[in-house]
Amino acid sequence: MSIEARLAELGITLPEAAAPVGAYVPWVIENGLVILSGQITMRDGAPQYLGKLGQDIDIETGQAAARLCAINLLSQLKVACGGDLDRVRQVVRLGGFVNCIPEFTAHAQVVNGASEVMVEVFGDKGRHARAAVGCSSLPLGVSVEVEGLFAID
């Protein structure tokens, strides 16, 4: 099954890839690897899921935020792959950043929202290494940001 067919089966519609909001590029390809800049919880040009985990946002909502970040990553990845997500050989690594209070310790549970998308979409090729860290703030006050590394043909 093609990745596009798999996305349709999952009910995932990829948004248009967002333009960078700073002095960086959304992705770089080097030696068969696509390095994707961090994607935040943007939907229709507006930040979603604002606030801190452990204060304003619960774990389930944080997982939904991470899922949105993963979908935004896939949008950027599709552009990097010339519109063909079937070029993805492996999701290599995700890095998840969780805007949270100092006492919050469920970072891994939150970033699972992004990891699960990759496995849903790519199957075994979606299994990856990962970091999930807490931080005191994120751009525009969003609750989660996710970056990625992907191997492509």
Side-chain angles (χ1 to χ4, degrees):
M1 173 182 293
S2 75
I3 297 302
E4 290 295 330
R6 182 71 182 138
L7 288 168
E9 181 180 85
L10 292 168
I12 297 173
T13 302
L14 298 182
E16 184 174 330
V21 296
Y24 63 92
V25 294
W27 48 268
V28 171
I29 298 177
E30 181 64 30
N31 292 325
L33 294 174
V34 178
I35 302 94
L36 291 172
S37 295
Q39 298 297 303
I40 61 174
T41 57
M42 295 295 282
R43 181 181 293 131
D44 299 325
Q48 309 293 308
Y49 303 105
L50 303 178
K52 292 188 175 292
L53 274 290
Q55 177 178 295
D56 312 302
I57 296 177
D58 62 21
I59 292 171
E60 265 186 14
T61 305
Q63 290 169 333
R67 183 174 180 83
L68 178 56
C69 292
I71 290 168
N72 290 337
L73 275 176
L74 293 176
S75 293
Q76 294 291 352
L77 181 60
K78 184 174 179 177
V79 174
C81 290
D84 184 6
L85 286 171
D86 289 315
R87 291 181 59 195
V88 175
R89 282 195 334 263
Q90 182 68 47
V91 179
V92 177
R93 180 184 183 280
L94 295 181
F97 304 91
V98 179
N99 182 2
C100 60
I101 61 173
E103 299 79 18
F104 187 79
T105 60
H107 312 90
Q109 286 179 270
V110 170
V111 181
N112 280 348
S115 293
E116 290 166 1
V117 169
M118 297 304 162
V119 174
E120 289 170 8
V121 171
F122 295 107
D124 283 340
K125 296 187 299 185
R127 299 191 186 287
H128 52 274
R130 188 182 85 185
V133 299
C135 53
S136 63
S137 68
L138 285 172
L140 306 176
V142 299
S143 56
V144 181
E145 180 174 351
V146 180
E147 64 182 6
L149 179 64
F150 298 78
I152 62 168
D153 289 325

